[in-house]
Amino acid sequence: MNFDRVIKTFGIALLAICFAASILKVVKYRFREELTGKRILRFAHTHLEPGVREAFDSLAADYMATHPDVAIEQITVPERIYKVWVETKLFGGNVPDIVRLHSSVNNDHLLSYFLPLEHYIEEPNPYNRNSPLEDTRWRDTFFDGLNNNPSYNVNLLNTFGVPNTIFTNRVYYNKRLLKQIAGSVDEPKDFQEFLNLCDTVIRYRSKVGISLYPMAGSRENSTAILDRLFGSQTQKMAPRLEPTNELQTLAQDSTVAYLAGKWSLRSPEIINAFKLMRRVGNFFTPGFLQLKRDDAIFQFTQEKALMIASGSYDAQSIRVQSPFEVGVFSVPMPLPDDPEYGPFVLGFQSEAALGGQAAFAIYKFSENRDLAVDFLHYITSVKGNTKFSKISGWLPSIIGIEPDEDIRPFMPFLGGYRKGINFYYIGAEPGDLVNANFHLLLGPDGSVEAFLDEVEPKMRDAMVTTSIRGADDVLSDAAYFDSMIGALYRRNTAGDGEWTDRISEMLESQTYQEEVSFYRRHEIALYGQN
Amino acid sequence: MAAGYEKLMHKTVIILLLASTALGLPRKGLADPADSVLQAWETASNYRYNEAYRAFRRLQESDDHAIKREAVFGEALMLLNVQPKTSGNIERARQLFEGIAGESVDDDFSVQSLYYIGRIYQTHQRVTDYESSARYFLRAIKRAPNHAYGQLAVVRLANVWLYEPVPKAVKLERYEQLRGLGGNLTFRPARRDFNYVTGVACLCFELSPERAMEHLKILETVDVHQPRSRASLYARIGETARKSGDTSTARVYFQKFLDEFPRELQTQLIRDRLNQLDTQP
């Protein structure tokens, strides 16, 4: 009986202690600002890749060392739940001061919750004092001048984020395996050599009787190469689809040109592009379209594949996890002199317009707005970004920083031509249609004909849907500025500041967007009916 | 005696505090309406449309007719983008704008209201009503041809008339009318955007490459803010000139592109075009 009472008392006491400890922990967390007397700055992102958290931790430690009244907290959230996480935080009002911009942060979110950085980026970064960029505007210290998505939103005509890196796609390979299979560690010099190497791997697999594929694959990793290969075949065709001699073809130009019959799935360029998809797609591990990026990396590190195409963001992960030496070379592309795939190619594909990535935005209603700007100044200074690049193994986003030797192969190629159109770029519906039927291209039973027979009858509807939605979305964004322009105009006439330039910029953006959208609607009205 | 004095002083201080509080409270409610209107516009220009909408609604209680008129205009303008955006809000905005435009007052708000009704028919409702929007833009142009909004109406009219799916002959006829309206625009953004819309339309609908060149060259002389837009402008002029055999103009504009935009995605293609021109006799 006594024993029972002791047990019960002990249980209740334990429960009470746990409860008290929990309360204490919650209170300490909730009131940590008051308890420590420090301002807490929180930043959230999705980059769980090795080295990245450590890099941000190190930068935060440096910052805190010079700002003893500040405590910085890093929050990492897995990418697959980031959309829900961000939305929950935004709607609940419990938003970290700094948030990584992501495709899930849409235009409404940007306008409602994030701070436009237009005024800050026009001034030099104070942490660049005594560096070659001392007098350079903050925006001009970035590789892309903050002119690209996700930092710059063309529809909202404003900059919302500052990036920490640039991502490029490359092919990683297993040096040991390459030597074993090909007898040397020489990387393929051109596209035909790459195809030959892949064929050699397949012959080696049959000879030795092991499970080995030329390329580790997943939806994302295959896109890193297939997307550009498709785009190589449409390089010459693309400028012809744009009616205003702009010499660049936007997605909307391609869709309405399709509806107007200026190109089709039977155009020689497109047939060749799908032949190329089939040729290279067969080199990936079977079922790759159903696999995730982690699965592909696992296959590669387990030596089930000789190569993997992926972004520079995976460099550290792949190197750390691979029990062999890893080499890197540029994604091989057919060039004009390629006997089979050269006739429709203009040349090397440029990486000049890559937008900076791992871009951070500031929560508009943060109590630490100025501190957040200051911290972003710090991490994107020459000193901060150099350290970030060294520890993370990612490319720097700031100009003039010499990357470590390991990451030099990832430096973007700035010459060359724009890649041509491809279905993922055109819009969601055509991209989904191609993806859903991609298996018809592959394997011994697959063929370009079988694929086109299935896809072609449905492509027109997909193009119409994507065109209509695209035009509607852009018009809706453009219309959003009507209230703003009216408000600024009124402030101008009332003498409340000088807003002429801002009004002029907004009108310019509005006019450009509406021209494109009304042209698209015009073409849909003419050609969109079956 | 001293204690009595202290009590008196305390009472005085309390009375003074209460009085100043009493004076201060209503002062908040009776803030200068003109300031409150400006504050509402400032709120709107920070993308806080819902908040500005509520402020304009409150300001309509003012006895001052001018303030009331401005507040109604403000409400209508905010209704265009108040979230959630509903067809009911848009219709209400249209009615309010109609009311303002219908009053016999010749001010900014009357021409702006006509312009914004045109915008409602053009972009704020799901399906564009080309005819109605053109009618209102024409009314705005007629009412105040020299007003910034009267001139912006010319730009929007060009967009509506030229991009409506009508036969090419109708487009050409409309284009000639628009040339008349757009020739003397003095509001620089309107001048720029008019020449952009008409210039690009001339190319899109194959109305006239010569006219397109005229518009694009005027566009070059007006402020183009976005660097990408300027890059596209040089490419368009260069390529249009090249296609029509005007190699000297093509050279000039391709070179301008290369000088100002050495790292764009079109750069190599334009370099090739220029090299081809240089090797031609």
Side-chain angles (χ1 to χ4, degrees), chain A residues 143 152 157 244-246 416-417 480 482-483 490-491 504 508 510-512 514-515 521-522, chain B residues 41 45 49 70 77 81 119 124 128 156 163 171 192-193 225-226 232 236 240 243 263 268 272:
Chain A
F143 169 82
Y152 181 74
L157 205 75
T244 70
N245 300 330
E246 202 180 358
Y417 300 86
Y480 198 84
D482 273 338
S483 306
R490 185 67 195 121
R491 290 182 71 186
S504 178
E508 179 180 311
Q510 202 178 41
T511 303
Y512 279 45
E514 289 185 0
E515 187 281 321
R521 280 190 172 178
H522 181 278
Chain B
W41 287 121
S45 59
Y49 298 148
E70 183 165 352
L77 192 58
N81 284 299
R119 292 288 293 160
H124 287 275
T128 297
R156 304 305 177 210
Y163 288 77
K171 280 194 205 296
R192 174 198 61 210
D193 293 353
H225 293 280
Q226 300 229 40
S232 290
R236 277 194 178 112
T240 307
K243 282 184 174 172
R263 259 183 49 187
Q268 187 58 45
D272 290 355

Side-chain angles (χ1 to χ4, degrees), chain B residues 16-270:
Chain B
L16 281 172
L17 279 173
L18 286 173
S20 63
T21 312
L23 284 170
L25 282 176
R27 199 177 297 143
K28 199 177 177 187
L30 294 175
D32 181 356
D35 285 348
S36 301
V37 170
L38 264 186
Q39 212 164 29
W41 287 121
E42 191 187 336
T43 305
S45 59
N46 286 318
Y47 297 102
R48 284 147 56 194
Y49 298 148
N50 286 43
E51 212 178 302
Y53 163 75
R54 288 192 292 273
F56 283 121
R57 291 275 293 179
R58 281 196 300 274
L59 281 161
Q60 287 169 42
E61 289 161 15
S62 169
D63 297 329
D64 183 332
H65 180 72
I67 295 289
K68 200 168 176 172
R69 183 172 162 81
E70 183 165 352
V72 172
F73 175 78
E75 182 196 345
L77 192 58
M78 294 308 109
L79 275 171
L80 296 182
N81 284 299
V82 155
Q83 297 298 318
K85 193 164 180 165
T86 65
S87 52
N89 281 347
I90 300 300
E91 177 54 21
R92 166 97 181 124
R94 195 190 61 76
Q95 288 169 2
L96 292 174
F97 283 132
E98 286 280 12
I100 296 165
E103 286 181 31
S104 51
V105 181
D106 193 16
D107 61 2
D108 275 358
F109 304 128
S110 86
V111 61
Q112 283 181 288
S113 293
L114 290 172
Y115 171 85
Y116 282 116
I117 299 171
R119 292 288 293 160
I120 287 174
Y121 285 122
Q122 185 194 10
T123 60
H124 287 275
Q125 53 186 38
R126 211 174 161 275
V127 179
T128 297
D129 181 343
Y130 291 94
E131 198 186 325
S132 300
S133 59
R135 196 169 64 246
Y136 278 91
F137 289 139
L138 280 166
R139 280 181 63 189
I141 296 164
K142 196 175 168 195
R143 183 169 295 189
N146 297 320
H147 190 282
Y149 271 79
Q151 301 204 352
L152 285 177
V154 179
V155 180
R156 304 305 177 210
L157 180 68
N159 211 182
V160 168
W161 267 1
L162 297 178
Y163 288 77
E164 183 180 2
V166 290
K168 189 172 170 180
V170 177
K171 280 194 205 296
L172 281 167
E173 205 176 293
R174 288 177 173 180
Y175 170 73
E176 288 306 324
Q177 275 183 269
L178 285 165
R179 268 172 64 83
L181 288 169
N184 298 311
L185 297 175
T186 50
F187 182 48
R188 287 178 76 86
R191 185 169 159 75
R192 174 198 61 210
D193 293 353
F194 173 80
N195 282 292
Y196 176 77
V197 171
T198 46
V200 171
C202 281
L203 294 170
C204 280
F205 306 120
E206 297 172 351
L207 301 180
S208 159
E210 295 78 24
R211 294 283 190 229
M213 283 293 272
E214 278 177 34
H215 291 298
L216 296 177
K217 283 188 173 176
I218 294 172
L219 180 58
E220 194 200 352
T221 65
V222 198
D223 313 316
V224 175
H225 293 280
Q226 300 229 40
R228 288 264 162 84
S229 305
R230 213 166 52 249
S232 290
L233 175 65
Y234 294 157
R236 277 194 178 112
I237 297 179
E239 183 67 355
T240 307
R242 188 188 70 87
K243 282 184 174 172
S244 32
D246 180 358
T247 52
S248 60
T249 305
R251 272 196 192 96
V252 169
Y253 282 89
F254 284 153
Q255 193 57 55
K256 274 190 183 191
F257 185 102
L258 296 178
D259 292 343
E260 286 187 41
F261 303 100
R263 259 183 49 187
E264 287 297 306
L265 288 175
Q266 300 117 298
T267 300
Q268 187 58 45
L269 189 58
I270 286 177

Side-chain angles (χ1 to χ4, degrees), chain A residues 70-175:
Chain A
V70 177
I72 296 176
E73 291 177 359
Q74 178 175 196
I75 304 164
T76 46
V77 184
E79 188 145 10
R80 63 179 180 279
I81 62 159
Y82 193 64
K83 180 180 177 357
V84 178
W85 185 86
V86 168
E87 287 182 348
T88 310
K89 293 283 175 192
L90 291 177
F91 301 148
N94 175 26
V95 188
D97 307 284
I98 296 171
V99 175
R100 185 208 155 189
L101 285 181
H102 185 261
S103 53
S104 60
V105 180
N106 61 33
N107 289 358
D108 286 345
H109 293 158
L110 283 175
L111 281 173
S112 307
Y113 301 109
F114 291 97
L115 181 71
L117 298 176
E118 59 187 337
H119 300 303
Y120 301 99
I121 60 174
E122 296 303 321
E123 300 293 326
N125 180 344
Y127 288 99
N128 279 338
R129 220 162 280 144
N130 301 323
S131 83
L133 300 176
E134 177 167 5
D135 298 322
T136 309
R137 293 185 304 177
W138 193 18
R139 69 176 308 142
D140 294 330
T141 65
F142 291 92
F143 169 82
D144 69 338
L146 298 182
N147 280 325
N148 293 295
N149 204 27
S151 303
Y152 181 74
N153 187 297
V154 71
N155 290 348
L156 305 180
L157 205 75
N158 221 316
T159 302
F160 290 91
V162 288
N164 289 281
T165 188
I166 316 157
F167 292 148
T168 54
N169 286 323
R170 296 288 181 266
V171 176
Y172 300 78
Y173 66 98
N174 179 334
K175 283 194 175 178

Side-chain angles (χ1 to χ4, degrees), chain A residues 279-515:
Chain A
R279 179 88 164 95
V280 177
N282 280 326
F283 294 140
F284 286 101
T285 38
F288 65 91
L289 286 171
Q290 312 305 323
L291 300 177
K292 302 272 183 216
R293 201 172 109 205
D294 291 345
D295 303 321
I297 292 178
F298 184 73
Q299 289 166 351
F300 179 72
T301 56
Q302 293 299 303
E303 305 197 86
K304 300 289 180 200
L306 173 67
M307 295 173 277
I308 180 171
S310 194
S312 50
Y313 43 81
D314 274 335
Q316 286 277 65
S317 308
I318 290 173
R319 284 193 173 119
V320 167
Q321 293 177 55
S322 301
F324 46 80
E325 197 182 348
V326 175
V328 178
F329 60 88
S330 293
V331 175
M333 288 292 131
L335 292 174
D337 59 358
D338 187 285
E340 212 175 344
Y341 301 106
F344 304 118
V345 177
L346 277 173
F348 283 111
Q349 289 178 26
S350 172
E351 293 173 319
L354 290 171
Q357 297 295 328
F360 285 144
I362 296 172
Y363 178 51
K364 196 193 274 187
F365 305 109
S366 158
E367 288 174 5
N368 298 315
R369 257 165 55 161
D370 291 342
L371 185 60
V373 171
D374 195 60
F375 182 63
L376 292 186
H377 270 142
Y378 179 72
I379 62 174
T380 59
S381 64
V382 172
K383 186 182 161 199
N385 196 235
T386 303
K387 188 165 198 183
F388 175 79
S389 175
K390 269 193 190 312
I391 301 175
S392 65
W394 282 8
L395 289 170
S397 63
I398 300 298
I399 55 174
I401 296 177
E402 193 58 37
D404 277 357
E405 202 167 326
D406 279 358
I407 48 174
R408 259 178 228 153
F410 298 95
M411 285 298 278
F413 173 63
L414 302 180
Y417 300 86
R418 176 187 282 272
K419 76 177 168 198
I421 57 170
N422 66 59
F423 285 93
Y424 308 106
Y425 165 69
I426 283 173
E429 288 79 6
D432 289 348
L433 183 59
V434 167
N435 267 340
N437 294 284
F438 202 83
H439 63 280
L440 296 172
L441 270 177
L442 306 176
D445 300 330
S447 72
V448 174
E449 267 312 304
F451 171 81
L452 291 181
D453 285 348
E454 187 62 31
V455 168
E456 197 174 24
K458 298 169 188 161
M459 186 53 83
R460 193 174 182 77
D461 283 347
M463 291 285 191
V464 171
T465 309
T466 208
S467 298
I468 291 173
R469 206 196 44 252
D472 288 352
D473 285 352
V474 175
L475 280 178
S476 164
D477 284 343
Y480 198 84
F481 286 109
D482 273 338
S483 306
M484 171 70 78
I485 291 166
L488 290 175
Y489 183 81
R490 185 67 195 121
R491 290 182 71 186
N492 232 9
T493 54
D496 183 26
E498 171 53 56
W499 302 100
T500 311
D501 279 352
R502 187 82 185 115
I503 293 169
S504 178
E505 279 176 39
M506 285 188 179
L507 285 167
E508 179 180 311
S509 169
Q510 202 178 41
T511 303
Y512 279 45
Q513 288 172 45
E514 289 185 0
E515 187 281 321

